[in-house]
Amino acid sequence: MNKEKYKEIVSKNTPKEDTVKNGIIAFLVGGGLGALSELLLRLYCLLFDMPRKEAGVLVILTLIVIASVLTALGVFDVLVSKVKAALIIPITGFAHSISSSALEYKHEGLVLGIGTNIFKLAGTVILYGVVAVYFFGIIRLIIMGG
Amino acid sequence: MTYVYAFLFCGFVCLIAQIILDNTKLTPGHVTSLFVVIGAFLDIFGIYDKIVLYAGAGALIPITSFGHLLIHGAMDTASSLGPLGLAFGIFDLTAAGISVALFISFVLALIFKPRH
């Protein structure tokens, strides 16, 4: 069997994902999460009598804790396989990447396992965030003066 | 009205990510890195600030806000200390999120066993 025929058979038999359905689910669930966070933010504003900025940080922390606990319980992966980007793109995905690598490498020890691997996936977000901020920050300082 | 904008913006960001994931070979790691850079980029001219003003928490939740918060902290100290301030303030606003995520992940990793 030549290579091209093999490729043809492979692509024919790979299950096709319904990209339209995936997109709609990601939009609805992601949007729902956004609206729910806004509700939570206003709740925190009222309950703790704090300004919106601090309440926003508290909302982010709440989502991080929820996502980490769900990851530890093994629920998060099931949810991600259903709603995909709607949970990866919000801060829940960041929390999941940290807690899942901590759990996964636990068996290799506290330092060499959890310690060296905890930033395995989240490291890329922080690295490129920092690189971008230095770059854009200097541009902004030059253009707008701060 | 903030709820509607929050729904629309957060949904829109997730939709774009889903389209990228479905139609290219990029992994979630690529997409989140890209979105952080976009979030920081949108803040050069304060565009993301305006989005936050309208969409509220809907704009704070997506990973794009991570880039926005990084550059915000950096610019806050840079305005008083000059270019060196970029380094001092860069993690000011994200420190809470990163440290809480690290701490709770560590504690949970000690308690729970990984499931496959």
Side-chain angles (χ1 to χ4, degrees), chain A residues 38 84 89 91 106 124 140, chain B residues 33 43 57 61 63 109 112:
Chain A
E38 176 64 23
K84 310 224 163 56
I89 293 306
I91 198 76
K106 180 189 178 183
T124 164
R140 189 167 149 170
Chain B
S33 306
D43 235 354
I61 297 311
I63 198 75
F112 288 90

Side-chain angles (χ1 to χ4, degrees), chain A residues 113-133:
Chain A
I114 299 178
T116 55
N117 289 299
I118 197 157
F119 273 129
K120 206 164 194 194
L121 299 158
T124 164
V125 172
I126 297 177
L127 167 66
Y128 290 109
V130 168
V131 171
V133 165

Side-chain angles (χ1 to χ4, degrees), chain B residues 33-47:
Chain B
S33 306
L34 181 71
F35 276 34
V36 169
V37 175
I38 293 175
F41 176 76
L42 285 178
D43 235 354
I44 298 182
F45 303 107
I47 300 171

